[in-house]
Amino acid sequence: MPVLGFGCWKLPEDSTAETVCSAIGSGWRHLDCAADYANEKQVGEGIRLAIERGHIGSRSDLFITSKLWNNFHRREHVGPALARTLADLGTDYVDLYLVHFPIPLKYVDPAVRYPPGWIHDPEAEAPRMEEDNVTLAETWGALEEECLAGRCRRIGLSNHNVQAIRGLLAGCKIPPAVLQVELHPFLTQEKLIRFCKSRDIVVTGFSPLGAGSYVALGTAAPEESVLREEAVKAIASKHGVSPAQVILRWGLQRGTTLVPKTTKPARMVENIDIFGFELAEDEMGALSGLNKGRRFNDPGVFCELAFGSFCPIYE
C-alpha cells in the first residue's frame, strides 16, 4: 500500500473524474474511496481517463481502498454492497475494503436510495437514523469470504477503537490489515497507534491536515486550523516547505500512512512532495505537543446535530 493516498471524500460529483485523473497524473497511486462518498462511479471514470491519457498502464498500477457502508453490515448484504462498489469503480477487485463505521444501521435497498446515507427514511415525519443489531463478527465473517474469493485483497477497519479490535482479533480468521482513523497534530492517538503496531495493523490517518474539511460542515472553526500554528509555520520556514508539507511529513515519520484530499492540481503536487526533507526529533516533539484530543469527525457530535440521533462510538 502506498504510504500516501488520494482522499476522495467530498469531491464534487461533477468534477470527480477529472480530479482523480489529474491526481493520478500527478503521481498518486492510492485512491481512498467509499460508497458513502457518492462518487465511486465518477472515480471509476477518472481511472478510465487516466489509462486512456497514458498516466498509468492499467488498473493494476493503482491501490484502491473502499469501505462498507453502515446499512450493509448484515452478512447477506456485504457481498452485494462490495459488488456495487466494484461495478461503480469499474474493477473486479479492490486492494483494501474497510468497515467504514462501527455503526450498523437498518438495511436500505439500493433500488430505493444509493448510497443510503445516515437517515433511514428521509420522507418520514421525523427523519432519523435507525440502528440495527449486527455484531462486528457477523460483518467480518462476510468480509473474510469476500477476501478469500479475491474480490478484496485485504480487509480492515475505519473509525474503530482498541476495544473493538481486541474483540475482533480474538475470533477472526483473517486479521485486519489496516485501521483508518482521524489523525493530525491536534489528535495524535499515540496509544491507538502503538497498539496497532504491536498487532501488525497498519494505521492510516484521514483528515491528516486537521480542520479544513470540517469548517463547512460546522464541526470546526477556521481558527482551529493546525496550519496556523506558529510552531508549524516556523518549522516550514526552516525547511523551505509549506505548513501542509510539514504536517504530512510528521505523519509519515510517525510510521502512519495518510490520505489527504484536495481538488487543486498544485496541492496534489505539493502534498506528495514530502520525501526531500526530514524532521528532527525536537521538531517531531513540538508538533506532537500540539495534541489536544480535538476530534473533528465524531459521530457522537455530528449524528445528533445533523441526524437527530445520539451515537457515540469513542466514549
Side-chain angles (χ1 to χ4, degrees), residues 5 7 32 55 62 79-80 96 108 115-117 129 155 170 192 264 268-270 298 310:
D32 183 68
H55 298 325
L62 298 174
L96 178 65
V108 174
M129 293 165 54
I155 50 180
L192 179 61
K264 300 176 181 178
M268 293 176 191
V269 174
E270 177 183 296
D298 187 349
F310 180 51

Side-chain angles (χ1 to χ4, degrees), residues 159-180:
N159 298 297
H160 286 64
N161 61 17
V162 169
Q163 183 178 3
I165 300 170
R166 281 186 182 278
L168 181 61
L169 290 174
C172 65
K173 296 176 182 177
I174 301 175
V178 172
L179 172 69
Q180 186 177 128

Side-chain angles (χ1 to χ4, degrees), residues 47-297:
I47 295 170
R48 188 191 65 78
L49 289 175
I51 296 171
E52 185 179 281
R53 295 173 186 176
H55 298 325
I56 52 174
S58 68
R59 178 264 178 266
S60 62
D61 292 332
L62 298 174
F63 187 102
I64 302 176
T65 296
S66 188
K67 306 176 189 75
L68 176 75
W69 186 240
N70 301 341
N71 302 86
F72 307 126
H73 279 211
R74 287 195 174 272
R75 178 179 293 275
E76 63 268 26
H77 301 315
V78 172
L82 177 54
R84 173 64 182 261
T85 277
L86 296 180
D88 284 349
L89 290 171
T91 181
D92 56 5
Y93 72 96
V94 289
D95 298 274
L96 178 65
Y97 199 45
L98 308 176
V99 181
H100 204 150
F101 279 98
I103 304 175
L105 297 178
K106 288 185 178 179
Y107 178 67
V108 174
D109 191 323
V112 174
R113 188 173 70 255
Y114 186 88
W118 294 85
I119 298 295
H120 185 73
D121 181 5
E123 304 302 319
E125 185 175 339
R128 64 187 312 278
M129 293 165 54
E130 292 190 18
E131 296 186 50
D132 198 5
N133 292 319
V134 186
T135 66
L136 179 56
E138 176 179 336
T139 305
W140 194 260
L143 286 176
E144 290 176 327
E145 292 174 6
E146 295 300 319
C147 191
L148 292 171
R151 288 182 283 271
C152 48
R153 295 191 168 176
R154 294 289 187 275
I155 50 180
L157 303 169
S158 179
N159 298 297
H160 286 64
N161 61 17
V162 169
Q163 183 178 3
I165 300 170
R166 281 186 182 278
L168 181 61
L169 290 174
C172 65
K173 296 176 182 177
I174 301 175
V178 172
L179 172 69
Q180 186 177 128
V181 291
E182 181 180 344
L183 287 177
H184 44 74
F186 288 167
L187 184 69
T188 55
Q189 304 213 67
E190 286 94 346
K191 291 180 180 178
L192 179 61
I193 293 173
R194 182 177 175 184
F195 173 80
C196 287
K197 287 182 178 180
S198 74
R199 300 301 194 275
D200 294 321
I201 299 171
V202 174
V203 177
T204 296
F206 70 75
S207 300
L209 297 175
S213 294
Y214 301 97
V215 174
L217 299 178
T219 58
E223 57 270 20
E224 290 186 284
S225 172
V226 69
L227 302 179
R228 297 186 178 192
E229 291 289 325
E230 291 302 321
V232 175
K233 292 190 286 187
I235 294 170
S237 178
K238 177 180 176 180
H239 289 276
V241 297
S242 71
Q245 287 173 307
V246 167
I247 298 305
L248 295 175
R249 181 68 203 184
W250 168 83
L252 284 193
Q253 286 188 213
R254 298 179 80 209
T256 63
T257 62
L258 309 170
V259 287
K261 186 220 82 172
T262 184
T263 58
K264 300 176 181 178
R267 295 292 188 196
M268 293 176 191
V269 174
E270 177 183 296
N271 287 350
I272 207 170
D273 183 22
I274 58 172
F275 299 95
F277 70 102
E278 186 171 343
L279 299 177
E281 185 176 344
D282 64 320
E283 293 171 327
M284 289 291 293
L287 296 172
S288 295
L290 297 174
N291 181 48
K292 57 181 72 175
R294 178 64 167 102
R295 192 185 303 276
F296 298 110
N297 192 323

